[in-house]
Amino acid sequence: MTNTLQMTRRTMLTGAAVAGALTPILIVNSSAHAEEVMAANAPRKAPAADLAKLQREKVELVKPPFVHSHSQKAEGGPKIKEFTLTIQEKKMVLDKDGTEVNAMTFDGSVPGPLMVVHQDDYVELTLVNPETNTMQHNIDFHAATGGLGGGALTVVNPGESTVLRFKATKAGVFVYHCAPPGMVPWHVTSGMNGAIMVLPREGLTDGHGKPLVYDKIYYVGEQDFYIPRDENGKFKKYDSPGEAYEDTLAVMRTLTPTHVVFNGAVGALTGENAMTAKVGETVLIVHSQANRDTRPHLIGGHGEYVWATGKFANVPDIDQETWFIPGGTAGAALYTFAQPGIYAYVNHNLIEAFELGAAAHFKVTGDWNDDLMTSVKSPSAS
């Protein structure tokens, strides 16, 4: 077993495993590669002396659906926001049947944590790939400009770390994901994605000057998984990501996921894990899907203000029943709960919601308003 694991680690790093699908481009020295790309992009603006004048703020990330504390309006001038993401390769259980995936994650969760900054802040990310991992990784920020979204500058082998800084020039919510050469879809569909929210410095508005403020924020990351089956139709289990690669790739190429889930597993945001609110509270729901299109819907509620493609410079749509988020995009919806009860929040491809797992719950407390809805006649025989 030791020799097998060593071979898996070595061959995955050199690109010889994965059935010959990878090329020698995987054999890169990340530091040298980063220097070459940076040199090619010179001259660079924002001299170190100017950046040295900016206030630094270290942010402690939290596991979704929760989001780290932040101000909705920027306080003072642009800052350098410091984040750290540690890559974890780990087994995760997807459903009550014990189906496993050899997940690749940022900070151990699917999705990775939501980061929040303000427009014109600088994001300074330390990306750590522990020696205990077996794979090469990096990070591509859809919010960033240049260098494959940072992917060209952040390729790290096990035992390495790197620091990337970029200026958040566009306001909105954006996907980030792993994008190593030759292995992008495998890493993304193994769970290695998350989102960053870049708030306008003045905070959210309705696009016509009215401020929009939220009492709570939740982050829902929708994930499609492709788990191989054996000859009897049972989901297979593997010792390592490398061992699962060929079989997983075959399922991926069918474009038919076996699981479509919120926050890493079927039922991860239901029951005791349901998101909570009170009648009268305004909730911002950030929803990302790094690979496939999705159609979020709040059963019994609405998207009162919706940025379906997540870009806050655009005027939001109002009073939406279902909104469309293209694959590779994060969206945002704002709703003030008006009635108590359990609200199902689903991908309104109902097959994916009810059969594959793309469903969550909001548990809302408060007083019922008969004017909004009431039972005129209880179900009974006529």
Side-chain angles (χ1 to χ4, degrees):
M1 177 61 72
T2 301
N3 289 338
T4 300
L5 291 176
Q6 289 176 344
M7 277 299 294
T8 298
R9 178 185 176 110
R10 181 167 64 251
T11 53
M12 293 305 292
L13 290 176
T14 60
V18 301
L22 309 185
T23 67
I25 194 171
L26 291 178
I27 316 173
V28 297
N29 181 297
S30 57
S31 298
H33 185 57
E35 291 174 1
E36 291 172 4
V37 174
M38 292 178 70
N41 290 336
R44 300 190 303 277
K45 296 183 179 180
D50 293 343
L51 291 175
K53 299 175 183 177
L54 298 183
Q55 178 181 344
R56 286 181 170 268
E57 182 179 312
K58 190 170 184 176
V59 180
E60 297 296 328
L61 294 169
V62 299
K63 182 179 178 179
F66 304 106
V67 181
H68 65 82
S69 61
H70 59 274
S71 60
Q72 295 183 41
K73 290 186 178 182
E75 299 171 351
K79 298 179 175 62
I80 299 175
K81 298 291 187 75
E82 300 177 355
F83 300 91
T84 298
L85 285 176
T86 300
I87 297 160
Q88 293 184 34
E89 299 169 4
K90 58 186 290 189
K91 287 189 178 183
M92 297 179 64
V93 176
L94 299 183
D95 55 32
K96 61 181 177 58
D97 297 322
T99 305
E100 288 183 358
V101 61
N102 286 282
M104 305 179 205
T105 74
F106 292 106
D107 271 11
S109 65
V110 177
L114 180 70
M115 307 177 197
V116 183
V117 301
H118 289 89
Q119 193 170 12
D120 295 331
D121 283 344
Y122 289 85
V123 177
E124 190 166 286
L125 174 75
T126 299
L127 183 65
V128 181
N129 190 2
E131 189 174 15
T132 50
N133 286 339
T134 62
M135 302 291 298
Q136 186 180 77
H137 299 283
N138 67 351
I139 191 166
D140 168 2
F141 281 97
H142 290 194
T145 303
L148 300 176
L153 302 175
T154 56
V155 178
V156 281
N157 292 316
E160 297 180 337
S161 65
T162 187
V163 180
L164 172 74
R165 184 176 62 236
F166 70 89
K167 188 174 185 179
T169 59
K170 310 293 184 183
V173 285
F174 301 82
V175 164
Y176 66 78
H177 62 84
C178 189
M183 298 187 289
V184 180
W186 180 35
H187 283 231
V188 172
T189 60
S190 294
M192 209 164 182
N193 57 82
I196 181 170
M197 181 165 72
V198 182
L199 288 167
R201 299 200 70 77
E202 70 278 10
L204 298 179
T205 74
D206 67 350
H208 305 288
K210 176 186 175 183
L212 298 176
V213 178
Y214 48 91
D215 300 302
K216 287 187 172 182
I217 177 173
Y218 289 108
Y219 173 35
V220 177
E222 186 171 341
Q223 180 66 55
D224 47 318
F225 286 113
Y226 302 79
I227 311 302
R229 299 177 187 267
D230 63 20
E231 61 276 7
N232 298 315
K234 300 293 186 181
F235 289 117
K236 299 174 70 173
K237 297 182 180 182
Y238 302 86
D239 290 331
S240 68
E243 183 185 344
Y245 178 78
E246 286 190 68
D247 291 346
T248 302
L249 185 62
V251 182
M252 289 165 50
R253 285 175 173 167
T254 69
L255 303 181
T256 304
T258 58
H259 298 73
V260 181
V261 301
F262 291 167
N263 289 40
V266 177
L269 298 178
T270 64
E272 293 181 355
N273 297 319
M275 298 170 282
T276 62
K278 298 176 181 178
V279 168
E281 283 189 325
T282 299
V283 176
L284 182 68
I285 307 168
V286 174
H287 189 124
S288 68
Q289 224 301 4
N291 190 58
R292 300 174 81 243
D293 300 342
T294 186
R295 305 151 189 82
H297 174 80
L298 181 65
I299 300 177
H302 302 89
E304 290 177 323
Y305 295 93
V306 176
W307 299 267
T309 58
K311 306 308 164 274
F312 297 137
N314 299 331
V315 176
D317 294 325
I318 60 173
D319 299 338
Q320 298 296 294
E321 56 180 320
T322 302
W323 45 102
F324 179 78
I325 298 177
T329 304
L334 197 71
Y335 181 63
T336 301
F337 284 94
Q339 295 277 43
I342 302 296
Y343 291 71
Y345 177 77
V346 301
N347 173 342
H348 213 286
N349 178 327
L350 297 178
I351 300 166
E352 296 183 356
F354 289 94
E355 298 296 327
L356 301 186
H361 288 160
F362 281 92
K363 186 183 297 182
V364 181
T365 57
D367 295 328
W368 185 266
N369 183 347
D370 281 341
D371 186 50
L372 291 176
M373 179 182 287
T374 191
S375 175
V376 177
K377 179 181 181 294
S378 299
S380 61
S382 57

